Amino acid sequence: MTTKATPTENLSKRALQAITEVESCAKSAAEVAREFLKYADEKAYIYFLDVMYHYTLESGQKCATAAKHVQGEDIKKLFMEFDTAEALHYRLALKDLEAFGVTPSNETPETVVAINDFWISLQGRHDNGYLAMLYVFENVAKYLQDDVAGFVERLCLGSKEKRWICAHAKEDLAHGKILMGMLRKHIEDNPTMAVAAAKQASALWSTMMLDVTDDGYQKLQKVA
């Protein structure tokens, strides 16, 4: 699916500022992940995969839920398509864990629960909340292409151990562009909601990655 973005000259100053702030939120979230990719060892990576398993376990369902509650027909269609695209991503993390001889933990990490709860809280609010939140999550990878490649090489990850991280590094680029086109199309309707959701999404993602850092690789505290 392609979404034609609203030309920059047709956006108000407030809308342009909101777009800039949303983008800044995605970049900020990526900076936290970059530290993990820079220093994490295999043990930390396995813990990361476990968290990502839970993080993506309900991705398809969350998009399906959003599709039921958004007002814009174009946004509804977008989330229905994302439901199909995202529904089975958790299996990639599952297979990567199996390659290490590990099974996923039974309990959903609190940081993932917080993300799921915020997604639910957007029901009944402006569509830009869903768009901006997902935009942040889908654009972290945009700022980490070289970091992911270096991480995979440093840990000597084989094809059966890097499926989740490499798939998202690639697919999220396309999703991010689509979401920005849709966000630019609707940003004038409620720029404040978009910024508020993006800031919360960035904070939630950063907290999740910091939890991975602290629990998965204690040495990082000393490096910092």
Side-chain angles (χ1 to χ4, degrees):
M1 176 182 178
T2 58
T3 301
K4 187 176 181 180
T6 302
T8 300
E9 60 268 20
N10 292 337
L11 291 177
S12 67
K13 182 178 180 180
R14 173 63 183 121
L16 288 172
Q17 180 185 9
I19 290 292
T20 299
E21 291 185 63
V22 170
E23 189 64 50
S24 178
C25 289
K27 186 175 182 180
S28 177
E31 289 300 321
V32 179
R34 176 171 288 115
E35 290 302 301
F36 173 81
L37 293 171
K38 185 176 180 180
Y39 298 112
D41 62 3
E42 185 177 291
K43 176 183 176 182
Y45 178 56
I46 291 172
Y47 181 68
F48 167 82
L49 287 173
D50 184 73
V51 174
M52 292 302 104
Y53 166 82
H54 289 285
Y55 170 66
T56 53
L57 184 59
E58 298 181 4
S59 291
Q61 182 58 48
K62 284 191 288 188
C63 287
T65 299
K68 293 179 181 179
H69 290 91
V70 295
Q71 299 300 309
E73 289 300 319
D74 53 348
I75 302 176
K76 186 182 298 290
K77 182 179 179 181
L78 174 65
F79 277 107
M80 290 175 63
E81 292 180 358
F82 274 24
D83 172 18
T84 301
E86 299 285 341
L88 300 180
H89 275 199
Y90 73 94
R91 291 188 179 182
L92 297 175
L94 177 61
K95 290 180 179 180
D96 288 344
L97 286 169
E98 290 175 346
F100 286 106
V102 177
T103 56
S105 59
N106 293 323
E107 187 174 352
T108 304
E110 291 183 4
T111 53
V112 175
V113 172
I115 288 174
N116 293 342
D117 287 347
F118 182 57
W119 188 266
I120 293 172
S121 76
L122 293 173
Q123 294 180 17
R125 307 181 74 179
H126 194 275
D127 295 356
N128 283 352
Y130 282 120
L131 289 176
M133 181 180 186
L134 194 56
Y135 180 81
V136 169
F137 292 156
E138 295 289 328
N139 277 275
V140 168
K142 176 173 67 177
Y143 294 99
L144 299 174
Q145 293 297 300
D146 291 341
D147 302 271
V148 170
F151 177 76
V152 169
E153 181 179 359
R154 182 169 62 81
L155 265 62
C156 299
L157 299 177
S159 59
K160 295 182 179 181
E161 302 162 340
K162 62 180 182 179
R163 282 169 282 203
W164 192 96
I165 195 169
C166 287
H168 280 78
K170 179 179 180 181
E171 293 180 23
D172 285 1
L173 294 178
H175 289 175
K177 291 179 180 179
I178 293 171
L179 283 163
M180 176 49 75
M182 190 65 72
L183 193 58
R184 289 178 66 86
K185 182 178 178 181
H186 294 277
I187 192 67
E188 294 281 11
D189 299 334
N190 197 324
T192 299
M193 186 67 222
V195 173
K199 287 182 176 179
Q200 183 66 6
S202 182
L204 288 167
W205 169 270
S206 297
T207 300
M208 181 173 66
M209 288 306 304
L210 287 171
D211 174 68
V212 172
T213 295
D214 292 341
D215 289 351
Y217 194 39
Q218 295 295 338
K219 294 179 183 178
L220 278 170
Q221 296 178 340
K222 297 179 181 179
V223 172

